[in-house]
Amino acid sequence: MTINDRNPKEFIADFICSFNDEIAHGDDDPAAVVDRYYTPDIVQHFDGHQMDREKLIAHVRPLRKNKPTSRVEVHEAIADGNRLAAHYTMYVHIRGKDLTIESGVFAEFAPDGRIRRQQIFFRDVPEDNADSGTQSAEAAPS
């Protein structure tokens, strides 16, 4: 799957949901999952914190234990060649809590569809402010 093969909203919704599902509920080692979705030289910035491949693996590894479920609603997504920008909301259920997280992402993809560079901004959304978007996908059954 590459960015040029799909509608940007569908592409990023499927990318996020399939990655989250494989990390939280899959059988493969999280490092193998990260390698399927991200290039070895990945540079990510999560709210200003830089993560390389090893830090990303360490960041996602606890999700296997916590087994969250989530869905994502993509409000906007724009693609230009191998770059994508998107605004989305994730609804996550983890350890008995429901979280709503609004996100913005700027990503550069390799020709094989894996992310090479990524900038993500998050903010927690209070329950009474959560609103629905236009492209929704489930990461795992609730």
Side-chain angles (χ1 to χ4, degrees):
M1 167 172 68
T2 66
I3 194 169
N4 295 321
D5 298 336
R6 307 274 304 278
N7 170 293
K9 282 184 177 181
E10 292 172 2
F11 177 85
I12 197 66
D14 289 347
F15 189 99
I16 294 166
C17 289
S18 60
F19 176 74
N20 289 348
D21 188 48
E22 285 190 46
I23 285 293
H25 305 280
D27 295 324
D28 291 344
D29 183 78
V33 176
V34 165
D35 289 342
R36 274 198 293 277
Y37 289 83
Y38 297 90
T39 61
D41 59 342
I42 180 65
V43 175
Q44 293 203 65
H45 294 269
F46 286 100
D47 281 340
H49 301 289
Q50 185 170 323
M51 288 189 196
D52 60 11
R53 178 184 175 274
E54 296 306 315
K55 288 180 183 176
L56 177 59
I57 292 166
H59 175 76
V60 300
R61 197 171 291 281
L63 295 175
R64 184 68 50 93
K65 177 183 168 196
N66 294 323
K67 303 245 183 252
T69 57
S70 63
R71 69 182 175 88
V72 63
E73 293 181 24
V74 179
H75 308 292
E76 288 185 86
I78 301 167
D80 181 20
N82 67 339
R83 296 177 301 156
L84 182 136
H87 169 226
Y88 60 92
T89 302
M90 286 187 61
Y91 301 91
V92 180
H93 182 80
I94 186 168
R95 294 180 294 193
K97 295 181 182 176
D98 291 317
L99 306 172
T100 302
I101 304 163
E102 183 179 21
S103 301
V105 63
F106 297 94
E108 178 187 329
F109 290 82
D112 63 6
R114 294 184 296 166
I115 292 179
R116 176 180 294 138
R117 282 197 305 252
Q118 184 168 254
Q119 203 46 266
I120 300 178
F121 306 95
F122 291 108
R123 85 172 178 98
D124 292 330
V125 179
E127 281 187 45
D128 58 336
N129 289 343
D131 57 307
S132 64
T134 57
Q135 182 70 39
S136 182
E138 295 285 329
S142 298

